[in-house]
Amino acid sequence: MAARRCASDLAANIVFFLLFSFVHTQSAAIFSPPDDHLIACGATSAAALPDGRSFLTDSSLPTTILRSHGRRISVSNPSSDADPLHRTARVFTCPSSYEFDIKSKGVHLIRLHFYPFQTPEFNLSSARFHVLASGITLLSDFFAPRPLLKEYFINLKEEKLVISFYPADRSSFAFVNAIEVVSAPNDLILYPARLVKADEVAKFDGLSEQAFETLYRVNVGGPKVTPFNDSLWRTWIPDGVFLKPSSASEIVSYSGRIKYQEYGASREVAPDHVYNTARVMNGAVLSGSNYSMTWEFPVTSGYKYLIRMHFCDIASLALNQLYFNVYINGYMAYEDFDLSDSTGFLASPHYVDFVLDVDITELLSICIRPSNQSSPLWIRGLLNGLEIMKMNNTMGNLDDESPVILFSANPLKRGLGAFVRSLTCGFAFVSLSAIAFMLFLRWRSEQRSHAAWSPLPVDVSDSTLKPGKLVNF
Ligand SMILES: *[C@@H]1O[C@H](CO)[C@@H](O)[C@H](O)[C@H]1NC(C)=O
Ligand SMILES: *[C@@H]1O[C@H](CO)[C@@H](O)[C@H](O)[C@H]1NC(C)=O
Ligand SMILES: *[C@@H]1O[C@H](CO)[C@@H](O)[C@H](O)[C@H]1NC(C)=O
Ligand SMILES: *[C@@H]1O[C@H](CO)[C@@H](O)[C@H](O)[C@H]1NC(C)=O
Ligand SMILES: *[C@@H]1O[C@H](CO)[C@@H](O)[C@H](O)[C@H]1NC(C)=O
């Protein structure tokens, strides 16, 4: 009897050992993306970042081809103590593109760095332009009045990625300081999301087929996390400015080891610095049960949003004591959410994806309230991190309701200067017209399919449907 008990103890120990050695090896693995293009545009030498990465110059890259149909100019920041990526930029006075070789198809992270500085010739904050990647409008009529970092996730299905820059009109120009094209970790987008509607929660499949723009990345209850401390070189900002003052919360932090597990969140999904701090509603210090934590984020209506909530129970004293309800824009998104059930451990990270269609409000409000399954003295709500991503609309775009329709007018009618300019932009006309034609066809077929299948456009309300923009070069 005793021997048998001993044997089963031993078996349990072996299971435990295996489990923990797995947890250990998983956390020790370093993410090395198959595609990893880091480019300092216009630079004459590689730019070394404090986070250890090195950005190569765009003129010396063998795998990257810069196609430009006219002047492309390298400009230098007059203030020499700027950050490495802010010292130079590439200015395009004609449509231009970067072409990247893609070794491994699938979801890629694309970051565009815009740092507007002034030189005697160019005032970068007065640039106005469009940016397309892989046929998706990322930015339409964009300008950068202040430093901006734009981040996207796009599923690439071809062996080339083309990122194109189009000046918004003849007198304008485009610019960019740095570009990152990096394979996303395989486990970044894995599971179906919860599609939150007024009266039900449905399943949302095919997340990895969508294009996303990151709008907010928040370390709830914790400090700013810089790319140095993030395995995917992300920046997480504190949640204070988004938290409604009426929220009843306290901050907790944890110095133990975060137990990353297979099928849970990995370190590439979010780093330890996100999971080891949280904001909680502590029943032991709050009276009654009518309290909540609410965060509010301004967004653009007319798009679906992916809301990724990161949880790691670093506050409860035991398993199966944490239950709470999640509301998004007032709709019940998850009732009686039980984190222990999903992880089986305390201090083990887990995330839940929600999708919500924002039609009129221009606001996303995320609210956590106690569940009536939890005891009044327990931790009654918790959140460690929050990411909000805009999803492409039915026309496949991330900016503007209608595709940018580009076409070339007859340059001869526009005087000699324009004619010469159009000659310098030369070949651009051909590709531009081709893109314009393709976009127009796509737009037409979208309009048709809307007309054929539904009297109301799915994504775009009639009032916001604008005619395509006309762009002359
Ligand atoms: C640069 O352009 C911005 C935006 O158009 C403008 O506000 C700013 O005054 C310009 N700076 C100079 C020195 O012209
Ligand atoms: C990285 O995290 C450590 C530990 O929290 C902190 O001391 C350090 O300042 C962080 N480094 C950067 C560059 O953010
Ligand atoms: C809970 O509080 C909100 C405002 O904080 C109030 O509108 C609501 O009526 C309260 N509910 C109950 C059941 O007390
Ligand atoms: C628990 O709360 C839900 C709404 O969140 C309500 O429908 C249900 O009746 C409550 N259950 C109890 C036992 O109070
Ligand atoms: C995003 O674009 C894809 C491909 O064009 C399309 O299948 C998908 O439905 C779009 N997403 C949304 C939310 O409309």
Side-chain angles (χ1 to χ4, degrees):
M1 186 72 181
R4 204 188 284 164
R5 218 182 60 228
C6 192
S8 74
D9 274 4
L10 183 66
N13 279 340
I14 290 173
V15 168
F16 243 79
F17 173 77
L18 289 178
L19 186 65
F20 276 95
S21 58
F22 178 75
V23 166
H24 180 78
T25 49
Q26 215 201 11
S27 59
I30 293 167
F31 172 60
S32 56
D35 290 309
D36 193 11
H37 300 286
L38 306 175
I39 298 182
C41 303
T44 49
S45 61
L49 263 57
D51 61 28
R53 292 180 299 162
S54 180
F55 282 59
L56 304 179
T57 71
D58 56 357
S59 47
S60 70
L61 274 180
T63 52
T64 307
I65 305 164
L66 172 54
R67 280 178 200 229
S68 162
H69 305 297
R71 286 212 302 166
R72 59 179 165 93
I73 303 143
S74 160
V75 290
S76 298
N77 193 338
S79 101
S80 54
D81 56 353
D83 282 348
L85 294 183
H86 300 159
R87 284 184 198 146
T88 60
R90 183 68 73 180
V91 167
F92 307 107
T93 54
C94 291
S96 303
S97 53
Y98 284 93
E99 198 176 294
F100 298 90
D101 280 339
I102 299 301
K103 284 192 217 127
S104 164
K105 295 176 194 171
V107 181
H108 283 66
L109 166 70
I110 298 174
R111 291 197 184 108
L112 305 173
H113 298 248
F114 300 104
Y115 187 83
F117 55 78
Q118 275 176 34
T119 68
E121 205 186 348
F122 291 100
N123 174 0
L124 295 187
S125 40
S126 69
R128 263 183 190 274
F129 52 102
H130 319 297
V131 183
L132 274 75
S134 185
I136 298 166
T137 305
L138 302 183
L139 295 165
S140 169
D141 224 356
F142 172 74
F143 63 103
R146 55 177 194 285
L148 290 169
L149 174 60
K150 293 284 184 179
E151 183 186 280
Y152 304 91
F153 289 92
I154 297 181
N155 193 338
L156 300 179
K157 305 211 156 128
E158 275 151 40
E159 276 153 11
K160 291 245 180 277
L161 164 68
V162 178
I163 303 182
S164 315
F165 296 83
Y166 299 97
D169 55 52
R170 267 168 203 280
S171 61
S172 197
F173 58 91
F175 83 96
V176 63
N177 301 78
I179 301 179
E180 300 173 46
V181 177
V182 179
S183 304
N186 291 331
D187 61 353
L188 198 65
I189 301 175
L190 273 189
Y191 305 112
R194 298 171 68 91
L195 176 61
V196 180
K197 301 185 193 170
D199 46 359
E200 59 160 353
V201 175
K203 194 166 131 189
F204 188 95
D205 276 313
L207 267 189
S208 62
E209 297 303 311
Q210 315 290 323
F212 298 99
E213 178 188 348
T214 310
L215 295 188
Y216 300 99
R217 182 169 281 139
V218 179
N219 183 14
V220 177
K224 180 176 176 179
V225 179
T226 65
F228 180 86
N229 277 329
D230 181 284
S231 42
L232 209 53
W233 310 284
R234 291 165 291 215
T235 299
W236 302 73
I237 58 172
D239 69 322
V241 291
F242 307 107
L243 187 72
K244 271 181 79 170
S246 60
S247 300
S249 76
E250 67 183 50
I251 286 175
V252 293
S253 63
Y254 177 73
S255 53
R257 186 187 180 83
I258 300 293
K259 294 184 195 71
Y260 287 94
Q261 296 185 73
E262 199 181 7
Y263 308 119
S266 70
R267 214 170 238 121
E268 279 70 52
V269 168
D272 300 52
H273 286 84
V274 169
Y275 290 121
N276 65 21
T277 59
R279 216 175 259 284
V280 303
M281 295 191 293
N282 187 348
V285 300
L286 295 164
S287 58
S289 60
N290 190 22
Y291 43 78
S292 62
M293 302 190 276
T294 306
W295 296 263
E296 287 182 341
F297 301 87
V299 295
T300 313
S301 61
Y303 291 89
K304 284 193 172 69
Y305 289 85
L306 172 68
I307 298 129
R308 174 166 288 186
M309 299 177 77
H310 295 270
F311 304 106
C312 181
D313 190 352
I314 52 172
S316 296
L317 299 175
L319 281 170
N320 302 106
Q321 288 196 346
L322 178 64
Y323 302 91
F324 53 89
N325 298 332
V326 177
Y327 301 81
I328 301 181
N329 279 11
Y331 303 143
M332 175 69 87
Y334 211 139
E335 188 171 9
D336 303 328
F337 175 55
D338 176 3
L339 190 52
S340 300
D341 186 46
S342 307
T343 61
F345 289 97
L346 291 177
S348 180
H350 181 75
Y351 66 88
V352 182
D353 286 338
F354 300 92
V355 171
L356 185 87
D357 209 330
V358 175
D359 40 15
I360 31 178
T361 48
E362 304 275 325
L363 194 73
L364 267 178
S365 105
I366 290 133
C367 175
I368 291 181
R369 285 184 180 281
S371 146
N372 48 17
Q373 301 228 334
S374 79
S375 145
L377 292 179
W378 291 343
I379 299 294
R380 309 196 71 191
L382 163 144
L383 185 63
N384 303 69
L386 191 54
E387 289 173 279
I388 297 181
M389 316 250 180
K390 186 191 206 183
M391 290 166 67
N392 67 262
N393 61 18
T394 49
M395 290 163 207
N397 293 324
L398 281 162
D399 197 4
D400 215 331
E401 296 81 3
S402 51
V404 178
I405 294 180
L406 307 136
F407 79 97
S408 55
N410 182 352
L412 283 173
K413 286 197 189 136
R414 298 183 164 257
L416 191 63
F419 179 63
V420 171
R421 176 105 179 238
S422 76
L423 278 188
T424 45
C425 283
F427 173 70
F429 278 140
V430 181
S431 47
L432 262 186
S433 311
I435 290 173
F437 187 63
M438 275 158 51
L439 284 173
F440 179 69
L441 285 185
R442 187 152 125 204
W443 183 68
R444 275 277 296 276
S445 73
E446 285 291 344
Q447 296 304 96
R448 288 233 184 90
S449 61
H450 280 152
W453 295 106
S454 123
L456 288 171
V458 180
D459 247 13
V460 184
S461 70
D462 283 305
S463 59
T464 57
L465 192 67
K466 286 187 270 175
K469 279 210 187 64
L470 303 182
V471 181
N472 298 316
F473 280 96

